[in-house]
Amino acid sequence: MTSISKEIIVVFDVKNMHFRRLNLLLTSKSVFVQKLNGIRFVLGFRFNYSIYEFDRQFHFKLILFRRNFFYTFAALMQILLTLFYTLIFVLSIYKLKFFAIPGFSRNAVAAVFILKIFAGIAVWWVYTYYYPGGDMQNYFDDGKKLFHLLLDKPKLFYNVVFNNAHYSGLKIWNANFDSALYNDAHTMSLLNMLFLFFSFGCLQVHIVFMCFLSMIGLTALYKTFEKYVPLQRNKLFIAVFLVPSVLFWSSGILKEGLLIFGLGIFLYSSNCGLPTSYNRRKITALLLSLFILLVIKFYVLIALLPGLCLNLIVRYTSEKLLFIKYFSVVIIIGIGAFALTYINKDYNPLVLIKDKQAKAILEARGGVYLSNKEKVVCINYIDKEEQLKQINDSTYKIVKGSNYIFWKADDMSTYDSIIKSQDTSSYQIAYTVVPAQSIIKLNFIKPDFSNILAVLPQALFNVFLQPMIWDADDIIQLIPAVENIIIVILIILSLVFINKKFENKTIVFFCLSFVLILFVLVGITTPAVGALIRYKIPALPFLLISLILITSKSKAN
């Protein structure tokens, strides 16, 4: 007769991405049967209190006996998995030819990568304990939900991803419901879903992956510009790898890390539009990076465009009359952009800027955003429990007597307030935004040149100097405030010690063009100080590189 004993085991369930404790009836044989999540699994081969098995759907589970090991084992497995992938990427840095950068050993590159991992964990800590409810956790959570959909309901997954079907379990998936352009929240959620095939639900592994992607982008940026400053590689290394804001915000599970990857690979593959040789690998990298820029932050590609076009013209002519060539390019691009308005009015650049600013201002205030075919409604974040009534998984109604604001879905700059609502319409939640802790006052702009030109001084002031050091409430704002002061001092010193006959004028034009356009767009459209700090980081290396190029080394010394 077979003996049976009852034991507690711990299961890491890859399908649901977490550990769980189970009571099992174990036979003395090495094989037993357990019903889990409605599926019968055959578990087998006990080795030293451990069982490894593959179920019918190939979900790998590691089983460990003894209840008191549960929490220790879960944490230990996450640490070991994180260290495992860190080791793989460090070895890649030492082995791959790409990471051999002129002027520095691979030890320096690996040290920067390790530093980025610590920075990424710090970003996770900030969004977990300091500013809870940020994008980082939302991207990760939506990635998990999409992962489960793909495994359990592939048809619904297809409809959600490709047909924009509503799924109530997603947090940030619909964050750009009003945008005429691609929703970058989709990109980040899908990227986290892909990471889950390797991370087994460990968020820190996602951080390591993102750090490696952004490290590739930064290395590509360094290699792109190194040939223009061969005698000032130390300064270039600092400008590219060690600017605090860039180091910090490109290391979390945020759009900035993927953006830096795409931006670096794009410029490295294209040589900023200047003469270079092309092969199949470069063309593939160029197309991949172009796709990433298109789906993650389209306006960054727009900011690059005038400089790229200027470099293409110089490539086939000369560096003479650069100012005239540059402004001719800007005029032609402007005419082309407004020509799109006659094809599709949603692509009017001034309207896009206006809508982006209006959406950012409203989001900075926080709230629950609901929509139907007629309008979009924003409920106060604090009052969401009292003012919303859930009808089913995806449908909500506003409680009578509630106060809220609403606007037409096609005009976010004009909204009205409703006091003591009698609205009986049904809505679906688009997304939820936690109120920003520090907000810069911005007035709603109108879609015309004169209005945008009028706000340019304030926009540039904000992007160069915000947060002000006396307004910094914490270390997260204090470091960027000090960084702003240092950058302004460097700009002044570069102008004082400028080399009036500096070389590589096309590269200087390219960098300054990108910085100015991106800073203007970010300054006009971003009222939240935290977002302002993040959104401007792609331009900071280019600003510092341009200062290195124009400064007379002998005068500065």
Side-chain angles (χ1 to χ4, degrees), residues 493-554:
L493 291 175
S494 295
L495 294 176
V496 171
F497 300 113
I498 190 170
N499 180 2
K500 295 181 180 179
K501 296 182 180 180
F502 63 85
E503 299 177 348
N504 302 307
K505 291 182 174 61
T506 54
I507 292 297
V508 174
F509 260 82
F510 175 81
C511 290
L512 292 179
S513 168
F514 175 62
V515 169
L516 184 61
I517 295 173
L518 188 64
F519 274 14
V520 167
L521 291 175
V522 170
I524 289 175
T525 60
T526 312
V529 173
L532 185 72
I533 295 167
R534 280 173 48 195
Y535 294 169
K536 72 179 184 180
I537 69 163
L540 293 180
F542 293 85
L543 175 58
L544 296 177
I545 289 169
S546 64
L547 297 182
I548 294 171
L549 288 169
I550 69 172
T551 304
S552 171
K553 187 177 180 182
S554 59

Side-chain angles (χ1 to χ4, degrees), residues 312-329:
L312 286 172
I313 293 172
V314 170
R315 178 176 180 174
Y316 296 104
T317 58
S318 68
E319 285 192 346
K320 295 180 180 179
L321 305 174
L322 277 181
F323 276 102
I324 295 175
K325 291 177 181 178
Y326 179 77
F327 286 109
S328 298
V329 165

